[in-house]
Amino acid sequence: MIDFILLEEERDREEKRRFYQSQIDGLRDVGLTARLLEFPEGAPVLPEGGGFAVFDVECRRHLRSRLDLMRLPHVPVIWNPYTFFEIGHMWIRHSDLVIAALAPGPSSAQLLRQYELSKPIEIINITAEYSALGGSAGQSRATSGIRRIGYFSESGIGLDFIRGVLTRRGHEHADLEWIPVSFESPSDWHRDLARCDILLSLRGLSGSAIPLLEAMASGVIVMGTHGGGLRDIAGPENGLWIESGTLETIAAEMAGGLKRMSAEPAWRRHLVEGAIEVSRQAGAEAVAAGNMEVWRRLAQRASLV
């Protein structure tokens, strides 16, 4: 039995819930058992019968005493390797109950392996089933004008700066409609995403790429920072990705991208087609076999603890 643990105080809960549930469904299909355990704020009381536990590495402080008391093997998911070392991580090295750590992609795994954690770093594909896969809606976006830009509602001051720069750069940007979106509310997310021609992502180096992949699957071009979860598949053929830079750089590249998409419809269609194809390649069904092999290896290690 694999226990996927989700705490109330975690960030990006809906992304994690979607990922965990997709893995539970996949494990069931291959004859393995797993369950999703959701707990309110505070120290959770874990049920008996688990083989090993999977959880966000940042939640260790809430789980330590219970996991150690139960002698339950566990595998932390390091969603964001760039902030991982801001938190205490020596427990991974020293605990005999930590059987491995999970990294969201090859680049993240390579980064983590530079540090002597003394535990295996397994690569897991963070994905889920999408609500839609492009099709006619995605292709129609490729031929219509750019009128609406979605942005994650937590973007804050950076968004205000970018909007201001775009407005000053040209009158054609003054009439753009900016639509706040939030993945944490599935019904609102699907409603608002359907209205967007472009999704501006300033999410930083988060491990999960599920919202961006779902947007790409729907034919919405993503502009902005790729985030850790898309580092290995983001490219000039599937979006307008900005490796790093200041807000001025992001605004300038975004203005250039909008101008080119308006002037070159064929290039925009190329981006939409590339985005839909990448989302298929990174979808739950496409990566299921690789992920299931990882879970099997971890289950075998847990049985030896």
Side-chain angles (χ1 to χ4, degrees), residues 21-36:
Q21 190 59 56
S22 75
Q23 299 310 290
I24 291 168
D25 294 341
L27 287 161
R28 185 185 302 116
D29 291 342
V30 297
L32 300 175
T33 57
R35 57 190 174 185
L36 176 61

Side-chain angles (χ1 to χ4, degrees), residues 1-5 27 32-35 37 46-55 67 70-75 96-100 295-305:
M1 172 73 74
I2 304 175
D3 287 338
F4 293 93
I5 299 175
L27 287 161
L32 300 175
T33 57
R35 57 190 174 185
L37 303 177
L46 302 178
E48 300 289 341
F52 66 93
V54 178
F55 53 88
L67 292 170
M70 297 176 66
R71 295 293 301 168
L72 183 64
H74 43 278
V75 182
D96 63 335
L97 294 175
V98 178
I99 57 176
W295 298 126
R296 286 191 180 97
R297 285 197 297 272
L298 294 175
Q300 185 175 16
R301 288 180 199 148
S303 68
L304 301 176
V305 174

Side-chain angles (χ1 to χ4, degrees), residues 132-145:
L133 281 176
S136 58
Q139 297 305 321
S140 66
R141 285 193 178 94
T143 56
S144 61

Side-chain angles (χ1 to χ4, degrees), residues 87-264:
I87 61 176
H89 61 274
M90 294 300 291
W91 57 274
I92 293 179
R93 180 183 303 172
H94 297 307
S95 175
D96 63 335
L97 294 175
V98 178
I99 57 176
L102 293 176
S107 295
S108 295
Q110 183 178 9
L111 177 64
L112 291 169
R113 286 168 181 154
Q114 296 176 21
Y115 303 89
E116 296 182 0
L117 294 178
S118 302
K119 298 294 166 62
I121 305 296
E122 293 277 6
I123 298 171
I124 199 76
N125 293 285
I126 306 293
T127 188
E129 297 289 345
Y130 310 134
S131 62
L133 281 176
S136 58
Q139 297 305 321
S140 66
R141 285 193 178 94
T143 56
S144 61
I146 298 173
R147 299 185 302 274
R148 302 182 181 92
I149 298 179
Y151 66 92
F152 290 103
S153 53
E154 65 271 17
S155 299
I157 191 171
L159 175 73
D160 294 334
F161 178 87
I162 290 171
R163 290 173 66 174
V165 169
L166 288 176
T167 301
R168 290 194 299 271
R169 278 179 173 267
H171 68 275
E172 67 271 19
H173 303 315
D175 294 330
L176 288 172
E177 181 181 356
W178 295 77
I179 302 173
V181 299
S182 173
F183 195 77
E184 291 304 294
S185 172
S187 59
D188 291 349
W189 162 257
H190 294 137
R191 179 199 64 206
D192 296 333
L193 183 65
R195 300 172 58 204
C196 299
D197 302 304
I198 289 171
L199 177 63
L200 174 62
S201 173
L202 302 176
R203 306 184 76 225
L205 295 163
S206 63
S208 169
I210 293 174
L212 304 188
L213 286 169
E214 188 158 86
M216 295 165 76
S218 299
V220 176
I221 296 173
V222 178
M223 305 179 74
T225 51
H226 54 62
L230 278 179
R231 177 175 293 276
D232 299 295
I233 58 176
E237 70 283 352
N238 54 52
L240 188 64
W241 305 105
I242 302 167
E243 284 290 330
S244 61
T246 63
L247 288 174
E248 290 91 340
T249 302
I250 294 174
E253 294 204 25
M254 186 173 180
L258 288 171
K259 183 176 181 179
R260 185 179 175 187
M261 278 189 274
S262 297
E264 302 179 35

Side-chain angles (χ1 to χ4, degrees), residues 4-8 10 13 16-17 36-39:
F4 293 93
I5 299 175
L6 189 60
L7 304 183
E8 185 176 26
E10 290 189 46
R13 280 171 50 85
K16 295 170 184 175
R17 181 184 291 109
L36 176 61
L37 303 177
E38 298 192 53
F39 297 102

